[in-house]
């Protein structure tokens, strides 16, 4: 595939990632979002939420971002092994992240409000692609340099 088409496709996929963020209020159930937008430091507790709905929507958002990110990796490198490995990393990240998020959510105290915030951010935003893309690029450069 020509380089121009690859860049165009990656650009469209990045726009899709941005659209997930722009329409988050309409697509996903997340009362915790409003909690952090308001003066959460003055509130004593989290707003009322439905735990199964919250975790299901968080999972859906994570996997939607992950699938788009995996497509970006595939278009960038055209290597199924890279995509498989990245997919495995996403699964591990999801299991660990959702476990920690659930624990913090169910056992929240004033000292862990920001921990919940950062774990949630890591799950709902596609930051892992920012690590994987340059890492696999560097791996490719090293692989080409060492026959």
């Amino acid at each position: 595939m020509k380089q121009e088409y690859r860049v165009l496709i990656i650009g469209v996929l990045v726009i899709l990632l941005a659209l997930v963020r722009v329409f988050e209020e309409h697509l996903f159930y997340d009362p915790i979002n409003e909690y952090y937008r308001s003066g959460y430091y003055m509130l004593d507790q989290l707003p009322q939420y439905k735990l199964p709905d919250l975790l299901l929507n968080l999972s859906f958002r994570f996997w939607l971002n992950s699938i788009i990110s995996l497509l970006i990796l595939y278009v960038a490198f055209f290597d199924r092994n890279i995509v498989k490995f990245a997919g495995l990393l996403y699964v591990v990240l999801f299991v660990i992240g959702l476990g920690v998020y659930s624990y913090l959510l169910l056992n929240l105290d004033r000292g862990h409000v920001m921990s919940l915030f950062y774990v949630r951010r890591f799950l709902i935003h596609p930051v892992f692609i920012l690590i994987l893309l340059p890492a696999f690029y560097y791996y490719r450069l090293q692989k080409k340099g060492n026959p």
Side-chain angles (χ1 to χ4, degrees), residues 77-79 82 135-145:
F77 300 108
F78 285 115
D79 187 341
I82 285 177
F136 287 130
Y137 180 73
Y138 181 74
Y139 169 75
R140 267 285 167 90
L141 288 178
Q142 293 298 318
K143 190 176 173 183
K144 285 182 181 180

Side-chain angles (χ1 to χ4, degrees), residues 4-47:
E4 296 84 22
Y5 293 131
R6 290 170 70 182
V7 170
L8 180 66
I9 293 170
I10 290 172
V12 168
L13 291 169
V14 169
I15 289 170
L16 282 175
L17 287 174
L19 288 174
V20 170
R21 169 82 170 148
V22 168
F23 293 111
E24 69 185 352
E25 300 280 329
H26 305 290
L27 295 173
F28 310 107
Y29 168 76
D30 192 1
I32 308 297
N33 199 17
E34 186 59 36
Y35 172 75
Y36 284 110
R37 285 188 182 157
S38 65
Y40 65 89
Y41 45 85
M42 295 187 306
L43 301 174
D44 290 333
Q45 61 184 358
L46 290 174

Side-chain angles (χ1 to χ4, degrees), residues 55-73:
L55 294 179
L56 184 66
N57 278 273
L58 183 91
S59 299
F60 177 64
R61 184 170 180 182
F62 176 85
W63 288 113
L64 183 62
N65 284 330
S66 297
I67 289 169
I68 296 169
S69 297
L70 290 172
L71 287 171
I72 290 171
L73 287 172

Side-chain angles (χ1 to χ4, degrees), residues 126-139:
V127 294
F128 208 40
I129 189 69
L130 298 174
I131 298 167
L132 290 177
L133 202 56
F136 287 130
Y137 180 73
Y138 181 74
Y139 169 75

Side-chain angles (χ1 to χ4, degrees), residues 69-126:
S69 297
L70 290 172
L71 287 171
I72 290 171
L73 287 172
Y74 182 73
V75 171
F77 300 108
F78 285 115
D79 187 341
R80 289 180 187 230
N81 290 327
I82 285 177
V83 175
K84 286 179 188 177
F85 182 70
L88 179 65
L89 289 175
Y90 274 110
V91 168
V92 169
L93 173 72
F94 176 72
V95 169
I96 293 170
L98 193 66
V100 170
Y101 181 76
S102 299
Y103 176 79
L104 289 171
L105 197 59
L106 295 172
N107 300 302
L108 189 67
D109 61 15
R110 297 295 297 155
H112 294 109
V113 171
M114 291 311 293
S115 298
L116 180 70
F117 174 80
Y118 289 119
V119 171
R120 182 181 156 277
R121 281 280 172 194
F122 199 70
L123 286 170
I124 67 172
H125 295 299

